[in-house]
C-alpha cells in the first residue's frame, strides 16, 4: 500500500482535480490511500468565516458561507457533469455539510463567542468538502473509491487547534479502517489535517497538517512509500517564491528534510518526517502539475551524501533577550528560564548565551505574553520583532572544510545576531534584520549553489 497526499493547489479546481485523479489512477496497483487537503485557499476562507462570526458580523459571515457553498457545488457540477445521479448525490452531500457549518457559524455569530472547540469544527470543513467531492469524482471516472472519515482514526490530544496525535490509538485504528474500506474498492480516500480527541470531539493538527496526517497514516499501515504531491518539482535548494534559480534536490535524508521543514521550508509540515522515520518509509515530494518529474526522495540518512542542500528561513520570528546579573555563576538559572517556556508550551528554535544574557528565537505565531511576564519577575526582557532567521542545512556541513567562511563571507555587509551550530552537524542558523532577509537569502544561495567559485575571490 502507498499513501498519496494531495495539497490545496493539487485539488484547487476542475483541471487540478482531473490531473490528480489521473495520477491516482496510474497507481491503483499499489493500493493507494489518498489523503486530500481542502481546496486551495478554502481553509483561509474558513478562518475568515470564524473571525466574521465571532465579530458578530452576520452579513460578512453569510456572504463567506455562500461563497464556500457555491465553490463546492459548482465544482461538483463540473466534475460530475456526465453522471447525473452522482452529481445529485454529491451536491446533496455538499449541502448537508454546508448546512451544518451554517448552523454552527450562525450560533457563534449570535453569541459573538468562539471557543477553540467550535473553531476546530468550522475549519475542518474544507477537508470534509474536498474529500467528498473528489470521492464522487473518482467513482464517476470508474475508480471504485470508498470514503474514510479521518475523525474516526486520527486521534489526538484535546488541543482542538493543534491536536497532538496519539500514535497508539492511530496505529490501532487505521489499518482496520483502511482494510475494511478497501473491500470491493480500487482506492480509498480520506482527509488530511482533521481528527478528533478520545471523546469524539473534532480537532485539527495545525496549519499545513495534511502532510503530517499522510505520514501518520503511512506509519500506521506500514506503507511502502508516502507521496506528497504539491505544486513544486520536489524539495528545492530554497523556497522558489523567495529565491530565483533554485535547484531541485534528487534525494535528501530524513534528518535534512526534518531540519529544513522545522527551520521554515513550507513544502513539508515540520512533523511530517517523524512518523515515517519510525518505520523507515521513504517519502517522495512530487509535482502534480508535472507528474512525470522525478521529484525528491527523502530517504534513510545512510543513503545520502554529505554536503549543503538548502537555505531555509523563517520570516516571522521573535527574538527574546533575557538579561540578568543573577545568571553569573548561578546554577539552575537556565532551568528556571526554560521551565517557563515549557509550562507555557512555547517552543524555542535557537538559543545563544553569554555571561549575563540568554537570547532565544520563537515562532511569531506563538503567544509569548505570559512567558515575558513570568521572565520579567527575575530578569530584564527585551523582545525584538524585526528579525528573521536563516538556516543553512545539509548532512555533515558543520564538519565540511571552510563551511563557516562559505556561510558568512557573503553576509559581510549585514549584521548577524545569534549564531547557532547544531550538535547534529546538519544545521548552521543565524538571525539577521528582517529587512535584509531577501537579500541575505539570495546572496547566500548564489554563493552556495550557483556561483561557489566567487567565494574564492574573497
Ligand atoms: P500544499 O498545498 O501542496 O501543501 P504548500 O504551499 O504547503 O503546498 O507547500 C508548497 C510550497 O512550499 C511551494 O509552493 C514553495 O513555495 C514552498 N517552499 C518553501 N521552501 C521550499 C523548498 N525548499 N523547496 C520547495 N518548495 C518550498
Ligand atoms: N487545509 C489545511 C491548511 O490549509 C491543511 C493543509 O493544507 O495541509 O492549513
Ligand atoms: Mg502544505
Amino acid at each position: 500500500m502507498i499513501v498519496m497526499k494531495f495539497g490545496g493547489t493539487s485539488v484547487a479546481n476542475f483541471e487540478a482535480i482531473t490531473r490528480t485523479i489521473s495520477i491516482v489512477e496510474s497507481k491503483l496497483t499499489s493500493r493507494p490511500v489518498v489523503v486530500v487537503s481542502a481546496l486551495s485557499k478554502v481553509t483561509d476562507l474558513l478562518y475568515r468565516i470564524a473571525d466574521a462570526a465571532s465579530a458578530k458580523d452576520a452579513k460578512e459571515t453569510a456572504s463567506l458561507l455562500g461563497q464556500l457553498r457555491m465553490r463546492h457545488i459548482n465544482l461538483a457540477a463540473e466534475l460530475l457533469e456526465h453522471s447525473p445521479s452522482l452529481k445529485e448525490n454529491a451536491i446533496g452531500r455538499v449541502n448537508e455539510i454546508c448546512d451544518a457549518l451554517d448552523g454552527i457559524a450562525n450560533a457563534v455569530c449570535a453569541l459573538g463567542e468562539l471557543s477553540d472547540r467550535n473553531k476546530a469544527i468550522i475549519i475542518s470543513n474544507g477537508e470534509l468538502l474536498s474529500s467528498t467531492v473528489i470521492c464522487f469524482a473518482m467513482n464517476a471516472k470508474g475508480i471504485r473509491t470508498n470514503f474514510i472519515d479521518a475523525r474516526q482514526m486520527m486521534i489526538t490530544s484535546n488541543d482542538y487547534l493543534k491536536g497532538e496525535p496519539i500514535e497508539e490509538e492511530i496505529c490501532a485504528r487505521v489499518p482496520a479502517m483502511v482494510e475494511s474500506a478497501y473491500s470491493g474498492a480500487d482506492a480509498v480516500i480520506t482527509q488530511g489535517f482533521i481528527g478528533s480527541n478520545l471523546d469524539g470531539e473534532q480537532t485539527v493538527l495545525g496549519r499545513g497538517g495534511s502532510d503530517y496526517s499522510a505520514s501518520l497514516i503511512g506509519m500506521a499501515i506500514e506503507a511502502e512509500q508516502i507521496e506528497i504531491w504539491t505544486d513544486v518539482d520536489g524539495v528545492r535548494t530554497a523556497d522558489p517564491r523567495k529565491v530565483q534559480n533554485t535547484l531541485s534536490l534528487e534525494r535528501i535524508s530524513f534528518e535534512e528534510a526534518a531540519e529544513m521543514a522545522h527551520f521554515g521550508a513550507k513544502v513539508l509540515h515540520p512533523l511530517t518526517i517523524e512518523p515515517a522515520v519510525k518505520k523507515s518509509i521513504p517519502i517522495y515530494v512530487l509535482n502534480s502539475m508535472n507528474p512525470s518529474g522525478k521529484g525528491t526522495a527523502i530517504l534513510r540518512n545512510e543513503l545520502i551524501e554529505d554536503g549543503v542542500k538548502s537555505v531555509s528561513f523563517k520570516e516571522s520570528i521573535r527574538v527574546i533577550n533575557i538579561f540578568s546579573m543573577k545568571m553569573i555563576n548561578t546554577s539552575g538559572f537556565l532551568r528556571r528560564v526554560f521551565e517557563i517556556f515549557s509550562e507555557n508550551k512555547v517552543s524555542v528554535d535557537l538559543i545563544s548565551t553569554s555571561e549575563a544574557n540568554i537570547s532565544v528565537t520563537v515562532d511569531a505565531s506563538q503567544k509569548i505574553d505570559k512567558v515575558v511576564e513570568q521572565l520579567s519577575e527575575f530578569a530584564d526582557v527585551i523582545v525584538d520583532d524585526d528579525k528573521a532567521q536563516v538556516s543553512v542545512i545539509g548532512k555533515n556541513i558543520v564538519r565540511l572544510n571552510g563551511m563557516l567562511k562559505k556561510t558568512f563571507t557573503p553576509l559581510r555587509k549585514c549584521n548577524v545576531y545569534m549564531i547557532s551550530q547544531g550538535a547534529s552537524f546538519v544545521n548552521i542558523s543565524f538571525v539577521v534584520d528582517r529587512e535584509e532577509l531577501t537579500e541575505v537569502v539570495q546572496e547566500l544561495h548564489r554563493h552556495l549553489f550557483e556561483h561557489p567559485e566567487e567565494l574564492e575571490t574573497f
Side-chain angles (χ1 to χ4, degrees), residues 5-10 37 208 210-211 228-242 249 260 264-268 285 310-313:
K5 177 259 170 177
F6 293 89
T9 41
S10 304
S37 293
S210 295
D211 302 327
I228 305 288
W229 289 87
T230 182
D231 61 354
V232 269
D233 279 322
V235 181
R236 305 186 68 82
T237 45
D239 185 345
R241 280 185 232 173
K242 186 78 151 185
L249 294 162
M260 285 172 74
K266 195 195 159 203
V267 63
L268 290 173
V285 179
S310 104
V311 178
S312 296
F313 59 87

Side-chain angles (χ1 to χ4, degrees), residues 428-447:
I428 299 170
S429 292
F430 52 91
V431 170
V432 296
D433 287 312
R434 189 173 302 140
E435 59 184 24
E436 295 197 300
L437 177 68
T438 306
E439 204 186 324
V440 163
V441 177
Q442 278 177 354
E443 269 296 285
L444 202 50
H445 187 271
R446 216 167 78 82
H447 285 96

Side-chain angles (χ1 to χ4, degrees), residues 179-299:
E179 210 41 62
S180 102
Y182 243 110
S183 89
D186 305 314
V188 299
I189 188 167
T190 189
Q191 309 79 39
F193 184 53
I194 71 174
S196 70
N197 65 14
L198 282 165
D199 297 327
E201 295 174 315
Q202 247 166 272
T203 60
V204 296
L205 299 183
R207 289 311 302 262
S210 295
D211 302 327
Y212 192 21
S213 303
S215 182
L216 288 159
I217 293 171
M219 173 190 73
I221 59 169
E222 304 201 12
E224 279 153 54
Q225 63 188 52
I226 297 162
E227 299 180 355
I228 305 288
W229 289 87
T230 182
D231 61 354
V232 269
D233 279 322
V235 181
R236 305 186 68 82
T237 45
D239 185 345
R241 280 185 232 173
K242 186 78 151 185
V243 178
Q244 289 167 358
N245 306 323
T246 58
L247 311 170
S248 190
L249 294 162
E250 205 172 305
R251 48 212 267 145
I252 56 175
S253 68
F254 285 131
E255 196 176 2
E256 288 170 331
E259 293 273 333
M260 285 172 74
H262 186 74
F263 286 92
K266 195 195 159 203
V267 63
L268 290 173
H269 181 279
L271 296 173
T272 310
I273 305 300
E274 230 174 75
V277 169
K278 289 195 177 142
K279 296 280 165 66
S280 216
I281 303 170
I283 300 178
Y284 292 87
V285 179
L286 299 152
N287 186 351
S288 67
M289 278 170 272
N290 176 23
S292 57
K294 273 201 189 136
T296 301
I298 304 176
L299 305 170

